[in-house]
Amino acid sequence: MPPVAPAVTPRQQTIALVDDDRNILTTLSISLHAEGFATRVYADGETALKALLENPPDLAIFDVKMPRMDGLELLKVLRAQSSLPVIFLTSKDEEPDEALGLAMGADDYIAKPFSQRLLVARIRAILRRSELAKAPPEEASGADMPDPVLRGRLALDPARHQVTWDGKPVSLTVTEFLILEALALRPGVVKSRNQLMDAAYSDDVYVDDRTIDSHIKRLRRKFRAVDPEFGAIDTLYGAGYSFADG
């Protein structure tokens, strides 16, 4: 009888948590451990920076407001030396910080108070995207990968979470990407806010339907940064949004 190959144990992925609120660090650590992740915790950006560069985790979660070095400064210094995936935790009144963080290279943001299930879903989505980006082309082009979506001047690659408009890259968060994909898959069809919430959030996560309006505003802003005449996302007042690929 030929020898039986030993089972391969999946590598445990590590999440770094950087926040000066020890209650959040403890709560998130417990939740992430329950989901199979290992965690490392840091109470400020200055302490975290050296560790993140010397022994990078798979993903990091930063609070924006911290002593010694805040999340924005930490990301700025980190991005000069690393492409480590980063999620920001923000407060609802920190929209300018969200926009700046995303422009500086954050992968996503989640506003406090947040659903831990939503955070875990976003972590898994970003880690999948990160693994695909690092995979050899022959592995990343497997038969189970979703096909790119081409709609006029828009190109979406769901497997790699990449978006271009007229060939110019547009950086989107996971939530923004999912909303845009839902619209682009059926151009001209009006999608209600509830339908877009279903596309972007898991069933057990509740968000106010006006959250979709905020995401649409950010989508338009990002596309207009590469094309001031962008107008492919239409609003039908009282009904929802649609994508025009003409």
Side-chain angles (χ1 to χ4, degrees):
M1 178 182 294
V4 178
V8 177
T9 302
R11 181 181 67 85
Q12 188 177 38
Q13 293 174 305
T14 300
I15 311 298
L17 306 173
V18 190
D19 199 313
D20 61 328
D21 187 329
R22 295 198 175 276
N23 289 330
I24 289 180
L25 291 177
T26 299
T27 301
L28 285 181
S29 290
I30 292 171
S31 296
L32 292 174
H33 289 164
E35 295 291 335
F37 295 105
T39 61
R40 302 178 200 149
V41 299
Y42 308 95
D44 65 81
E46 192 173 287
T47 303
L49 178 61
K50 187 170 183 288
L52 295 176
L53 291 173
E54 290 183 351
N55 186 18
D58 293 283
L59 181 144
I61 299 173
F62 297 168
D63 187 27
V64 172
K65 304 298 185 185
M66 293 185 293
R68 299 178 67 187
M69 177 184 285
D70 66 19
L72 292 171
E73 181 64 20
L74 175 58
L75 179 64
K76 179 181 177 181
V77 178
L78 184 67
R79 275 292 171 262
Q81 305 175 63
S82 171
S83 58
L84 174 71
V86 171
I87 296 175
F88 266 136
L89 297 182
T90 70
S91 298
K92 287 187 176 181
D93 59 352
E94 293 173 351
E95 184 171 332
D97 289 340
E98 295 167 1
L100 180 57
L102 293 172
M104 291 167 58
D107 294 83
D108 209 341
Y109 68 87
I110 294 183
K112 301 176 184 177
F114 55 87
S115 158
Q116 292 185 29
R117 290 181 180 273
L118 173 60
L119 179 60
V120 169
R122 291 295 175 259
I123 288 171
R124 294 196 187 282
I126 291 171
L127 288 174
R128 284 195 299 269
R129 185 185 75 191
S130 178
E131 291 300 317
L132 282 169
K134 293 184 290 187
E138 61 273 14
E139 293 182 19
S141 59
D144 58 341
M145 293 296 102
D147 293 330
V149 179
L150 304 177
R151 295 290 184 267
R153 299 149 71 187
L154 176 73
L156 297 93
D157 184 348
R160 294 187 178 276
H161 190 90
Q162 293 176 344
V163 180
T164 62
W165 180 261
D166 274 345
K168 300 173 184 175
V170 182
S171 179
L172 302 182
T173 68
V174 173
T175 306
E176 291 163 351
F177 186 97
L178 292 172
I179 290 171
L180 179 63
E181 183 182 28
L183 293 171
L185 284 172
R186 300 196 65 190
V189 175
V190 176
K191 294 273 189 176
S192 68
R193 293 185 182 90
N194 285 337
Q195 289 173 317
L196 294 176
M197 282 192 292
D198 289 343
Y201 295 94
S202 57
D203 292 341
D204 50 7
V205 174
Y206 172 77
V207 294
D208 185 274
D209 61 0
R210 294 297 171 180
T211 301
I212 296 299
D213 297 344
S214 297
H215 286 303
I216 293 291
K217 288 179 182 177
R218 290 190 178 94
L219 278 168
R220 286 171 170 154
R221 188 184 308 140
K222 289 182 177 183
F223 277 93
R224 285 170 183 160
V226 301
D227 176 9
E229 302 301 318
F230 175 82
I233 299 177
D234 293 330
T235 302
L236 183 62
Y237 291 99
Y241 300 95
S242 65
F243 183 84
D245 64 351

